[in-house]
């Protein structure tokens, strides 16, 4: 918990710098293809610091995430043979078994697979790269990504815009519990892919 708390404090420090929005965009972009930390933490911190800009931050996060998803699609489509071993070895959520199940999902539910990963704790990066590897329709991929990612980040922004300081106080009071819930959701996302599909 101490490590997570330090990470939380480090993320919050961007709020007091001129680089908060740039860091948010970069984190959203990187998380969609290879970076393990989701952008929600920084999005929440920035929205809490300036609730009136919440929807602007959500839009920036969604744009960065979808663009990062396009990078993931490109990696899968054009570079997968060269980089697959690296992803299987170093990126959480990437295993050959999981990837085989992702292929099955895409064969039947291409739009819903991308949308679900964009909106839920299911690791979006696995889906973005998988979409490129298995060559799902690019426009379907973009459309599903825009909807899923936007709904996720704008929901966060709307809650903070509406409740503001109350959300901050809640996070501070129940930080340890929320961290546990977040980790369970993240692990649950991997398990959904592994066991249900």
């Amino acid at each position: 918990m101490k490590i997570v708390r330090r990470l939380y404090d480090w993320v919050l420090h961007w709020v007091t710098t001129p680089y908060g929005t740039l860091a948010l965009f970069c984190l959203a972009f990187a998380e969609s293809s290879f970076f393990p930390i989701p952008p929600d933490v920084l999005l929440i911190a920035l929205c809490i610091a300036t609730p009136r800009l919440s929807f602007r931050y959500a839009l920036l996060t969604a744009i960065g995430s979808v663009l990062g998803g396009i990078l993931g699609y490109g990696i899968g489509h054009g570079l997968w043979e060269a980089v697959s071993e690296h992803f299987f070895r170093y990126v959480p959520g990437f295993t050959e078994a999981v990837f085989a199940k992702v292929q099955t999902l895409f064969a039947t539910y291409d739009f819903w697979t991308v949308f679900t990963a964009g909106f839920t704790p299911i690791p979006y990066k696995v889906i973005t790269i998988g979409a490129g590897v298995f060559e799902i329709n690019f426009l379907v991929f973009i459309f599903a990504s825009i909807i899923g990612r936007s709904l996720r980040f704008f929901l966060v922004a709307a809650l903070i815009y509406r409740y503001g300081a109350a959300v901050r106080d809640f996070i501070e009071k129940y930080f340890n519990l929320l961290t546990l819930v977040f980790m369970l959701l993240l692990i649950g996302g991997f398990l959904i892919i592994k066991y249900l599909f």
Side-chain angles (χ1 to χ4, degrees):
M1 289 297 181
K2 289 182 180 179
I3 293 174
V4 177
R5 182 73 215 198
R6 284 200 296 270
L7 176 61
Y8 178 76
D9 292 336
W10 177 81
V11 167
L12 285 180
H13 109 276
W14 288 106
V15 179
T16 60
T17 74
Y19 307 108
T21 53
L22 177 60
L24 178 64
F25 179 85
C26 291
L27 180 59
F29 181 88
E31 187 269 340
S32 293
S33 57
F34 62 89
F35 196 68
I37 301 173
D40 305 68
V41 176
L42 184 53
L43 172 63
I44 290 168
L46 287 168
C47 290
I48 286 173
T50 316
R52 63 185 174 80
L53 297 179
S54 294
F55 297 109
R56 179 179 172 184
Y57 292 136
L59 178 62
L60 183 69
T61 309
I63 292 171
S65 186
V66 172
L67 290 176
I70 292 172
L71 172 64
Y73 187 100
I75 290 170
H77 185 70
L79 301 173
W80 185 241
E81 289 188 11
V83 301
S84 58
E85 184 177 344
H86 171 82
F87 277 83
F88 287 136
R89 181 176 297 178
Y90 298 112
V91 178
F94 272 90
T95 67
E96 293 183 23
V98 166
F99 227 56
K101 291 175 183 179
V102 169
Q103 182 177 17
T104 302
L105 282 176
F106 278 134
T108 311
Y109 308 108
D110 52 358
F111 174 89
W112 292 110
T113 300
V114 177
F115 170 81
T116 302
F119 185 69
T120 68
I122 291 174
Y124 181 59
K125 62 182 68 62
V126 175
I127 301 304
T128 64
I129 293 177
V133 172
F134 306 126
E135 299 183 342
I136 75 160
N137 184 288
F138 184 68
L139 292 180
V140 169
F141 171 77
I142 293 296
F143 186 57
S145 292
I146 290 172
I147 295 175
R149 296 268 93 178
S150 296
L151 282 175
R152 173 172 172 160
F153 299 133
F154 274 90
L155 177 61
V156 170
L159 289 172
I160 295 174
Y161 181 80
R162 174 66 179 84
Y163 297 105
V167 173
R168 181 187 61 229
D169 294 342
F170 180 81
I171 291 172
E172 291 291 338
K173 184 175 181 181
Y174 298 105
F175 178 78
N176 289 340
L177 177 61
L178 290 172
T179 299
L180 178 62
V181 170
F182 174 78
M183 292 306 297
L184 289 174
L185 287 173
L186 190 61
I187 293 168
F190 288 111
L191 293 177
I192 287 171
I193 289 179
K194 185 173 182 179
Y195 293 112
L196 297 185
F197 299 103

